Amino acid sequence: MISNCLIQTKANEYILYMITTRNLTKKYGDFIAVNNLDLDVKEGEILCLLGANGAGKSTTINLLLNFITPTSGEALINGIDVTKDPIKTKSFLTYIPENLMLYPTLSAVENLDYFTGISGKKISKSQLETYLLEAGLQKEALHKRIHSFSKGMRQKVGIALAIAKDTKVLLLDEPTSGLDPKSSNEFSELLKEMSNKGVAILMATHDLFRAKSIGSHIGIMKDGVLKNNFKTQDISIQGLEELYLQTMNYNEVAL
Amino acid sequence: MFLYNFKYELKLLIRNKWIQVLSVIIIINMLFAGYNGKQKVDKRNADIENITNKVSQEDQLMLLQLDSIKQGHTVNLSKWRVPTSPMAVGNYHPRVAAMQPHDMAFVAIGQSDLFTHYTRPKVVDNSLTIKHTEMTSPVQLLFGSFDLAFVVIYLLPLIIIAFTYNILSQEKESGSLRLLASQPLSIRNWVLQKVILRFFWLVLITILVLTVVFVINEFSFSENLGAFVSCIILVVAYMMFWFALAFAINLFGKSSAKNAMSLLGLWIVFVLLIPAIMGQLSSSFYPIPSRTKMLNEMRALKAETTKKQDKILDNFLRDHPEYASKDDQGKTSFWHRYMASQRIINDELSLLQDKYDGQLRKQHELIQQFQYTSPAIIVQQSLNAMAGTSSTNYEDYRNQVASFAQQWQDFFIPLLYKNKEFTKEQYADFPKFTYQSEAEVTITTKIAVLVLFTLLITMIGWGAFRLNAKKGLVILS
């Protein structure tokens, strides 16, 4: 049991790990989806999890969201075990899945009002509009019903929700998959802004280039195991590509 | 969370075309059922009014004829109908024994389409057993009447199912459940709130439309507010049961299609299957003797007794010396012999009739005992009782009519055997019939059972949800 996630640095400062997993394991019968996973994401860090389909990236996020319970080990948000106090841990985080599904018959402002409202935040309409504009949504789209929104616009509403909730942790499951390059870039810029404000971000993605451009750390998962975990600045894009393929054994397969 | 859920659920409901269509369907159905009820009650009232007016006119004529006879005039009537003869009055001027519709009769047709609501028992041929069951359209018997009870018991649960079957599954299937579940809230409470909000929405529509239907039917709220409130509480408790069922099924976390099929299956079980099985069991345990056989036996008995009327009359007068004429002028007519044999026939027939009625009563008792196996039976029985159209009401009515028929006969028989004439002065002393409903309408136990059903089902759903949450099946498939 981890009593807290405060880590003392050499300069005698304490750093709080906003996302932590220790020996986190999830089994489905004989199949091990996540195997003894240890992760730490500090405030302002962006950890990009890379890996093939079924590597355990989404399962890790589902475990952090308490959508599924771990077979063993612990998952903590802001130092709190997600299985012990899921409602409290969820008050610190925002989750943006690959396809952010909102209520189609409500407008962007109404959706934001609803999701912040049920999270216990009372925010004025004008403030909600400001958050949506901050997230990059056009003014004329604010009061349009969501059914006319593109995927990129819906993802921006997700970011606005994170801003409105004053979120500490952002969990993203392949958020840029299917977005056009312009929307992807805009979304990446928003994530960087969030990170600069101290938000800890964990993003599962297949996109090596996006991971290299926005991540502060990169982890490569295979068969539920975190094979590599390093700082982005320590590797070039070519090096990352080679390491990824090596980890996945794709080179051997190609031979 | 509740206020936000309420505010946006309302917006979503109002913007949902499917919900709008369902709301309109339930409103139209209830109004149509209320209109049907009014038609039936109006016809019943009109029938009673017509026959009462007819009797009143015939009475006036009879009194005029009595005056004429008294003044020595001859009246142009067959000897069987001359009003100075007690038997002519007793047979050709019977009173109307009417079962006036209850204030809430429009709510449930109940047994009123099977039984007559007025009869005119005569001195002779007091065979209520034959006349009490009227012919009804077999098509109507097959499908039942489209009354408010039908809409509430059969259609309202279907509307509730359509309103609620996919509250959780739709969110899961569209993908919005993931976003919802990542918010600091309990999904179980969120589903509960959604169900409660939809429950209030439908309850509001139902109460409003019911009130309109009651107003259309000229229901006296000031005099019968308690009955109206009881009816509303019963309907709301029944709706609560179906919403609880939908809530539980939602918490099992299956797909929308499976939820819909499960709820429709339960509807078939509770609304169709259990009542049908109960009806079948009651007739298997307590089979009713053949009505044709009973009628044949009655005819044979009548034929037998008619043959030996003289002997019967002697025996009768021996048993009833008060009817024997004390003077030498005592004469015995056809009626003297007929009425004496009639008494014997009635005594014999009562055995046959009791056998028939006894089985019917046992069937009703069995259904009463097992009514708590289905909320649909509970509500049907309660609404019939409130509307005054239950089998108990008609049994009461028949008993009261039989008692009145006896009074009517007892009024004329002494005059017959004393060979006295009927006079205008005796008209005022005619026995009068007023139907008094003796069936008590208590719905407290029934409401309590419906609430118990609701709690039990909610707990089952709660348990299923906990189990699924442990398996991680609530948010993810």
Side-chain angles (χ1 to χ4, degrees):
Chain A
M1 171 72 194
I2 298 165
S3 58
N4 59 56
C5 290
L6 286 174
I7 307 298
Q8 194 172 10
T9 64
K10 287 174 186 172
N12 281 339
E13 285 174 346
Y14 284 91
I15 299 168
L16 178 65
Y17 284 130
M18 295 304 295
I19 305 169
T20 308
T21 66
R22 288 289 177 270
N23 303 319
L24 189 66
T25 303
K26 180 66 188 177
K27 289 181 187 173
Y28 294 101
D30 294 334
F31 176 72
I32 306 173
V34 174
N35 194 357
N36 279 314
L37 182 70
D38 288 338
L39 275 182
D40 292 301
V41 184
K42 285 186 288 192
E43 287 178 336
E45 276 185 358
I46 301 177
L47 171 62
C48 293
L49 279 182
L50 293 170
N53 288 334
K57 309 182 299 290
S58 296
T59 308
T60 305
I61 289 176
N62 288 335
L63 285 163
L64 285 163
L65 287 161
N66 197 40
F67 287 175
I68 46 175
T69 45
T71 310
S72 61
E74 289 168 322
L76 299 102
I77 298 288
N78 202 13
I80 302 164
D81 191 325
V82 297
T83 60
K84 302 240 161 61
D85 195 349
I87 291 184
K88 178 103 183 190
T89 56
K90 283 173 189 174
S91 67
F92 299 118
L93 65 82
T94 298
Y95 166 61
I96 302 177
E98 183 181 348
N99 260 314
L100 185 72
M101 296 313 293
L102 300 155
Y103 289 103
T105 52
L106 297 181
S107 70
V109 174
E110 286 171 332
N111 265 291
L112 194 57
D113 187 35
Y114 178 60
F115 282 103
T116 50
I118 58 172
S119 304
K121 299 254 176 194
K122 230 178 176 178
I123 300 168
S124 69
K125 197 177 157 191
S126 60
Q127 194 59 49
L128 290 170
E129 287 172 351
T130 312
Y131 292 142
L132 284 164
L133 292 171
E134 217 176 296
L137 217 60
Q138 298 296 309
K139 199 175 177 182
E140 55 272 19
L142 300 185
H143 295 283
K144 275 190 181 166
R145 291 192 184 176
I146 290 290
H147 60 70
S148 61
F149 276 33
S150 67
K151 183 182 170 183
M153 288 164 85
R154 280 187 276 123
Q155 301 296 69
K156 284 174 184 172
V157 178
I159 293 293
L161 177 62
I163 301 169
K165 279 175 75 177
D166 192 20
T167 199
K168 303 273 185 282
V169 172
L170 199 52
L171 299 175
L172 306 148
D173 196 356
E174 299 177 27
T176 54
S177 149
L179 286 185
D180 62 71
K182 183 174 173 282
S183 301
S184 277
N185 281 335
E186 281 174 4
F187 192 76
S188 300
E189 287 308 312
L190 287 168
L191 291 186
K192 280 181 190 170
E193 279 175 35
M194 298 287 287
S195 159
N196 291 337
K197 286 176 186 168
V199 177
I201 301 172
L202 174 67
M203 180 167 88
T205 180
H206 290 291
D207 190 340
L208 271 61
F209 300 98
R210 191 70 54 199
K212 169 69 182 149
S213 71
I214 63 166
S216 57
H217 291 73
I218 292 174
I220 302 176
M221 286 186 82
K222 190 191 174 196
D223 300 332
V225 178
L226 185 65
K227 296 279 188 184
N228 304 95
N229 190 1
F230 46 85
K231 284 186 178 176
T232 316
Q233 64 193 38
D234 295 342
I235 198 162
S236 65
I237 185 66
Q238 289 86 358
L240 176 62
E241 197 173 1
E242 278 171 22
L243 181 65
Y244 181 80
L245 292 172
Q246 201 179 358
T247 309
M248 299 292 131
N249 297 330
Y250 286 166
N251 287 342
E252 290 167 24
V253 173
L255 286 170
Chain B
M1 176 172 97
F2 184 77
L3 282 177
Y4 273 88
N5 234 349
F6 183 80
K7 179 179 158 188
Y8 281 101
E9 182 64 9
L10 205 60
K11 275 193 183 185
L12 289 168
L13 284 176
I14 290 166
R15 291 175 190 179
N16 187 329
K17 285 197 171 66
W18 174 233
I19 298 288
Q20 288 169 13
V21 169
L22 285 177
S23 303
V24 171
I25 287 173
I26 193 67
I27 290 169
I28 290 173
N29 275 321
M30 282 195 167
L31 288 174
F32 181 60
Y35 171 75
N36 263 349
K38 185 171 165 53
Q39 295 285 95
K40 294 254 179 192
V41 173
D42 285 351
K43 186 184 178 300
R44 194 167 152 182
N45 278 326
D47 286 349
I48 294 171
E49 199 184 330
N50 285 343
I51 194 70
T52 311
N53 288 341
K54 189 182 166 206
V55 167
S56 178
Q57 284 168 10
E58 285 172 359
D59 282 2
Q60 292 307 315
L61 189 64
M62 176 187 73
L63 292 172
L64 286 172
Q65 286 167 346
L66 281 170
D67 278 344
S68 298
I69 292 168
K70 201 175 176 182
Q71 286 161 19
H73 301 297
T74 5
V75 288
N76 188 19
L77 287 169
S78 80
K79 69 167 188 171
W80 298 101
R81 303 192 74 145
V82 178
T84 48
S85 157
M87 291 308 283
V89 179
N91 286 328
Y92 292 105
H93 296 280
R95 304 296 88 195
V96 177
M99 188 187 183
Q100 297 285 353
H102 193 274
D103 288 334
M104 277 173 63
F106 60 90
V107 169
I109 302 299
Q111 305 288 307
S112 65
D113 55 351
L114 282 175
F115 296 118
T116 187
H117 39 265
Y118 74 83
T119 185
R120 298 179 70 190
K122 299 174 183 176
V123 173
V124 298
D125 194 25
N126 185 19
S127 50
L128 296 165
T129 47
I130 302 167
K131 293 182 178 171
H132 216 71
T133 303
E134 291 192 332
M135 293 297 284
T136 308
S137 154
V139 178
Q140 191 172 325
L141 283 177
L142 180 64
F143 295 109
S145 302
F146 198 94
D147 56 4
L148 266 181
F150 171 75
V151 174
V152 167
I153 294 163
Y154 290 80
L155 301 185
L156 201 52
L158 289 175
I159 300 281
I160 292 171
I161 290 170
F163 245 71
T164 53
Y165 76 100
N166 63 350
I167 286 183
L168 185 62
S169 54
Q170 187 193 30
E171 302 282 347
K172 201 169 178 173
E173 285 153 9
S174 72
S176 52
L177 184 62
R178 282 170 165 263
L179 185 61
L180 270 168
S182 68
Q183 308 308 319
L185 52 89
S186 150
I187 286 293
R188 191 178 54 188
N189 290 345
W190 177 84
V191 176
L192 181 64
Q193 286 179 16
K194 287 266 237 193
V195 171
I196 290 172
L197 294 170
R198 288 180 186 219
F199 169 72
F200 278 121
W201 173 264
L202 209 55
V203 162
L204 186 75
I205 292 175
T206 306
I207 292 178
L208 281 175
V209 183
L210 278 179
T211 310
V212 170
V213 168
F214 273 64
V215 169
I216 290 171
N217 279 278
E218 294 158 18
F219 182 79
S220 168
F221 289 93
S222 54
E223 285 173 25
N224 294 307
L225 189 64
F228 173 70
V229 172
S230 296
C231 178
I232 295 290
I233 290 174
L234 186 77
V235 172
V236 170
Y238 185 60
M239 290 173 75
M240 202 162 72
F241 163 79
W242 283 102
F243 269 95
L245 216 52
F247 172 65
I249 293 292
N250 266 285
L251 288 186
F252 271 87
K254 304 291 179 196
S255 67
S256 297
K258 277 186 183 169
N259 286 354
M261 289 310 291
S262 308
L263 285 165
L264 284 175
L266 288 167
W267 179 84
I268 290 171
V269 169
F270 284 117
V271 176
L272 301 181
L273 220 53
I274 296 179
I277 289 171
M278 286 298 119
Q280 194 56 50
L281 282 180
S282 66
S283 50
S284 299
F285 287 149
Y286 304 110
I288 293 176
S290 160
R291 200 165 184 83
T292 317
K293 194 182 162 197
M294 188 178 82
L295 292 176
N296 285 338
E297 284 180 34
M298 282 163 67
R299 282 181 192 134
L301 191 69
K302 279 185 181 180
E304 184 84 6
T305 45
T306 312
K307 280 180 201 165
K308 19 181 202 180
Q309 279 186 349
D310 285 336
K311 199 180 169 195
I312 288 169
L313 178 63
D314 290 344
N315 290 339
F316 175 75
L317 291 176
R318 243 197 317 275
D319 292 343
H320 298 277
E322 72 275 15
Y323 291 149
S325 184
K326 286 189 178 77
D327 55 39
D328 295 336
Q329 302 301 311
K331 48 187 183 201
T332 55
S333 67
F334 162 80
W335 285 122
H336 291 76
R337 288 189 294 278
Y338 181 88
M339 290 314 298
S341 62
Q342 192 69 30
R343 292 235 165 176
I344 289 179
I345 290 171
N346 284 345
D347 288 347
E348 295 273 334
L349 282 184
S350 66
L351 294 173
L352 282 174
Q353 182 66 31
D354 285 351
K355 202 175 162 191
Y356 189 88
D357 288 348
Q359 293 295 85
L360 206 60
R361 200 172 303 114
K362 281 178 187 166
Q363 283 191 2
H364 291 155
E365 281 167 9
L366 189 80
I367 300 272
Q368 285 287 337
Q369 280 169 9
F370 287 97
Q371 63 173 315
Y372 296 116
T373 49
S374 163
I377 304 179
I378 296 176
V379 177
Q380 181 73 68
Q381 299 243 353
S382 305
L383 289 179
N384 284 356
M386 283 177 182
T389 55
S390 68
S391 44
T392 316
N393 289 105
Y394 279 92
E395 201 179 326
D396 277 351
Y397 170 62
R398 205 178 63 178
N399 291 337
Q400 289 174 34
V401 169
S403 163
F404 174 71
Q406 192 59 54
Q407 282 180 50
W408 186 248
Q409 211 174 60
D410 290 347
F411 186 82
F412 293 100
I413 295 293
L415 297 177
L416 170 72
Y417 283 97
K418 299 283 178 192
N419 291 322
K420 288 187 176 170
E421 289 197 336
F422 178 76
T423 60
K424 193 179 175 183
E425 288 68 36
Q426 285 162 329
Y427 176 75
D429 300 330
F430 270 178
K432 289 181 178 60
F433 179 85
T434 314
Y435 168 68
Q436 298 283 340
S437 175
E438 287 169 8
E440 274 186 46
V441 185
T442 47
I443 58 160
T444 322
T445 318
K446 285 163 182 170
I447 300 278
V449 172
L450 286 174
V451 171
L452 269 176
F453 261 122
T454 304
L455 290 176
L456 184 73
I457 290 162
T458 308
M459 281 166 70
I460 292 171
W462 223 256
F465 184 85
R466 282 173 71 94
L467 211 65
N468 279 340
K470 270 187 186 171
K471 290 180 186 169
L473 295 174
V474 175
I475 314 300
L476 312 171
S477 299

